Amino acid sequence: MEISPKRKFFFNALTEFAADGQEAGNIMLEFCKIVEKSNKLHNLTSIKNLDDMLIKHVLDSLSIKKFLIGKNILDVGAGAGLPSIPLAVTCPNKEFSLLDANNKKVIFLNHVKINLAIKNINPIHARIEDFNNETSFDTVICRSYASLSKIYTNSKKNLKDKGIIIAMKGKIPHQEIEELESLNKNVILKVEKLDVPGLEAERHAVIIKK
């Protein structure tokens, strides 16, 4: 069967993020097929086309890989497993906890974990406001979850000293940054432009230090 241009592009782009782009790409492709199949039941994504998912979800998720610090990562509002599942596949030495308040989505994430044998993810059914864990995290990540103020307020208790929060955004969220700085005038943050192969839309990461 002939491979579509977008799929060829995806596998080529993966070499930037994965030691074995072909193996990682095959896992991500199967992941997107599971998302596509489960979408009606779990309302996981508005993107219906499989090849579009590979770029707009998987490559987008991987664009923050270079900013991760430490071994223990918490994904807040994990939903369909983005960005954590693509990151877990390409970072096998890191441990990812996938937190979501929607139990159906946690069931979906466990289904993905079992079917794709991704050993370094741990789906958890909980609200971040109520989540307290003896394992503090080096990095908290979130994609399309909430405002920066809400992310910071609810997540900082789960961070180790010198840990960071990476909030994925589209355009630079100037108003959200102002709100966060009003909430805590001593907060340290920086904005990084994300380069997502094949995606023209603006993408940024706001990195907040504890």
Side-chain angles (χ1 to χ4, degrees), residues 6 19 21 46 69 89 108 120 140 146:
K6 277 188 181 179
S46 60
I69 64 170
V89 171
F108 167 79
N120 59 328
V140 169

Side-chain angles (χ1 to χ4, degrees), residues 60-72:
D60 182 64
S61 295
L62 292 174
S63 67
I64 64 166
K65 180 182 175 182
K66 64 183 178 181
F67 301 116
L68 299 177
I69 64 170
K71 182 178 181 180
N72 293 309

Side-chain angles (χ1 to χ4, degrees), residues 3-52:
I3 300 175
S4 70
K6 277 188 181 179
R7 204 165 294 187
K8 283 181 182 177
F9 177 87
F10 167 73
F11 275 92
N12 287 334
L14 263 187
T15 58
E16 181 184 339
F17 302 104
D20 188 336
Q22 190 66 43
E23 181 183 359
N26 288 336
I27 295 171
M28 312 262 199
L29 182 57
E30 290 305 310
F31 166 60
C32 288
K33 286 178 180 178
I34 295 173
V35 171
E36 183 183 45
K37 187 176 180 181
S38 305
N39 199 31
K40 286 184 180 179
L41 180 63
H42 296 294
N43 190 27
L44 299 168
T45 176
S46 60
I47 298 171
K48 304 295 193 293
N49 182 276
L50 188 65
D51 287 350
D52 285 342

Side-chain angles (χ1 to χ4, degrees), residues 147-197:
S147 69
L148 294 176
S149 295
K150 185 174 181 180
I151 293 164
Y152 177 75
T153 300
N154 293 333
S155 302
K156 63 181 179 179
K157 68 181 185 298
N158 301 110
L159 278 175
K160 290 180 182 177
D161 288 338
K162 298 183 180 179
I164 61 169
I165 298 167
I166 304 174
M168 299 181 72
K169 299 287 182 178
K171 293 181 178 180
I172 299 175
H174 294 289
Q175 186 175 341
E176 290 186 26
I177 291 171
E178 288 176 11
E179 289 172 357
L180 177 56
E181 289 174 337
S182 296
L183 181 71
N184 182 350
K185 64 181 180 180
N186 296 317
V187 72
I188 300 171
L189 64 83
K190 62 180 177 177
V191 180
E192 296 280 358
K193 189 177 187 300
L194 298 176
D195 180 22
V196 182

Side-chain angles (χ1 to χ4, degrees), residues 52-98:
D52 285 342
M53 286 184 199
L54 293 172
I55 292 171
K56 294 181 179 180
H57 282 332
V58 175
L59 292 182
D60 182 64
S61 295
L62 292 174
S63 67
I64 64 166
K65 180 182 175 182
K66 64 183 178 181
F67 301 116
L68 299 177
I69 64 170
K71 182 178 181 180
N72 293 309
I73 317 293
L74 175 65
D75 183 354
V76 180
L82 301 162
S84 47
I85 286 176
L87 290 168
V89 171
T90 57
C91 302
N93 295 324
K94 296 185 186 295
E95 298 293 329
F96 292 79
S97 295
L98 284 60

